[in-house]
Amino acid sequence: MNAEQVLFWVFSVGTIVSAGAVIFLRNPVASAMSLVACFFFLAGIYVLLWAHTIAVLQVLVYAGAIMVLFLFVIMLLSLTDTGPIAQLSPSRIAGAVATAALLAALVAVFRKLPAADTVTWASDAGRVATFGTIKQLGAIMYTQWLFPFEAVSLLLLVAIVGAVVVAKSRI
Amino acid sequence: MNFTVVPTSNYLILAAALFCVGMLGVLVRRNALVVFMCIELMLNAANLTFLAFARERGDMVGHLGPFFIIAVAAAEAAVGLAIVISVFRNRGTVNIEEIQSMKH
């Protein structure tokens, strides 16, 4: 096994274990902290996929901003969770069975993909040198994808106003 | 130059497993905040799929998808948590079993 395979297994086992901890831990604060751990492991996976810019964004925005917001709300509500984390009802059992079936189907499909362990475009040295850099990402974002980028900025503005309107009891 | 890498299908199987963990959480957990966290897990599984195919094809447009998903997830978390706070203020609970006035 080379270094990339070792890192892939370390990060993927870490991702799945911490994602499982999110849903199986009772305390919401513990769930949020294991979700932060999951995002860090995923950032490692993104680096293995040569997407270091997105990995940095993942840590900054997800593990930083969004999870701080989550922790803030959990602390604000000071929830006392009693009782089982999930009551056993027919709809929940059906949900768990459907999830297992979906996982089995997806894994069966993905295993049929050709397991090519080389990058087919590696001979293109210019593309290898610029792949995943913030310069290249910015070049694509501000030329081809300028309108969606501006639309997202408008969406964030609407979300800020909407969050204030919804959460504030009296304006 | 030749790079030996972990096959794309391994990344896709990891994304499928992550999505299914998130889906299980959404379907079985009772705490609305944990349900939100599980939605974030599912969004991250989508990100991972985009990035895996971006490297497979050598096309950096695949990095734009995760970029926009992260931005939309931030907006979604802000509005969703505001709704959770509002519901908690009116009902005194974030247990989704007890918030069912829109059922039927």
Side-chain angles (χ1 to χ4, degrees):
Chain A
M1 287 225 287
N2 61 15
E4 192 191 354
Q5 284 169 314
V6 173
L7 284 174
F8 173 78
W9 286 108
V10 168
F11 288 143
S12 54
V13 169
T15 303
I16 296 299
V17 168
S18 51
V22 171
I23 64 171
F24 289 117
L25 288 174
R26 173 186 304 268
N27 188 345
V29 178
S31 287
M33 293 318 290
S34 54
L35 190 58
V36 173
C38 183
F39 288 155
F40 271 98
F41 284 122
L42 268 174
I45 294 273
Y46 294 171
V47 171
L48 289 184
L49 283 168
W50 307 0
H52 39 267
T53 307
I54 301 295
V56 170
L57 278 178
Q58 167 93 358
V59 171
L60 282 179
V61 180
Y62 257 124
I66 295 181
M67 291 320 295
V68 168
L69 193 61
F70 266 98
L71 283 172
F72 199 76
V73 171
I74 293 169
M75 303 283 185
L76 190 69
L77 301 185
S78 66
L79 301 170
T80 49
D81 197 6
T82 52
I85 57 170
Q87 284 158 344
L88 221 55
S89 67
S91 64
R92 292 221 151 77
I93 295 169
V97 170
T99 308
L102 178 67
L103 181 63
L106 286 174
V107 170
V109 169
F110 292 148
R111 284 178 72 86
K112 283 199 194 309
L113 288 178
D117 57 355
T118 52
V119 176
T120 49
W121 47 278
S123 53
D124 191 347
R127 202 145 55 132
V128 171
T130 59
F131 189 80
T133 56
I134 195 163
K135 186 179 177 187
Q136 189 70 15
L137 188 70
I140 296 170
M141 191 157 49
Y142 292 118
T143 54
Q144 275 177 277
W145 293 78
L146 186 62
F147 180 72
F149 180 71
E150 296 295 339
V152 162
S153 68
L154 187 66
L155 177 74
L156 285 170
L157 178 68
V158 171
I160 294 167
V161 176
V164 172
V165 169
V166 171
K168 207 161 159 47
S169 55
R170 206 179 50 218
I171 297 175
Chain B
M1 227 179 341
N2 214 356
F3 292 103
T4 308
V5 294
V6 177
T8 304
S9 57
N10 287 21
Y11 289 102
L12 294 179
I13 290 172
L14 173 63
L18 193 61
F19 185 89
C20 288
V21 170
M23 181 176 159
L24 184 68
V26 169
L27 290 175
V28 306
R29 282 300 298 252
R30 292 153 57 241
N31 188 328
L33 284 165
V34 179
V35 170
F36 259 111
M37 293 182 206
C38 292
I39 292 173
E40 305 292 337
L41 282 180
M42 292 159 79
L43 288 171
N44 270 284
N47 281 351
L48 183 53
T49 314
F50 268 113
L51 293 175
F53 278 115
R55 194 195 57 176
E56 168 95 20
R57 297 175 48 79
D59 191 350
M60 263 201 74
V61 173
H63 289 196
L64 266 292
F67 178 84
F68 288 129
I69 290 174
I70 289 173
V72 171
E76 173 253 335
V79 175
L81 290 172
I83 292 172
V84 168
I85 291 176
S86 178
V87 166
F88 185 78
R89 187 180 288 134
N90 289 327
R91 303 291 185 92
T93 181
V94 293
N95 186 340
I96 56 175
E97 297 278 294
E98 295 164 31
I99 306 165
Q100 49 184 1
S101 55
M102 282 174 76
K103 239 181 183 176
H104 307 299

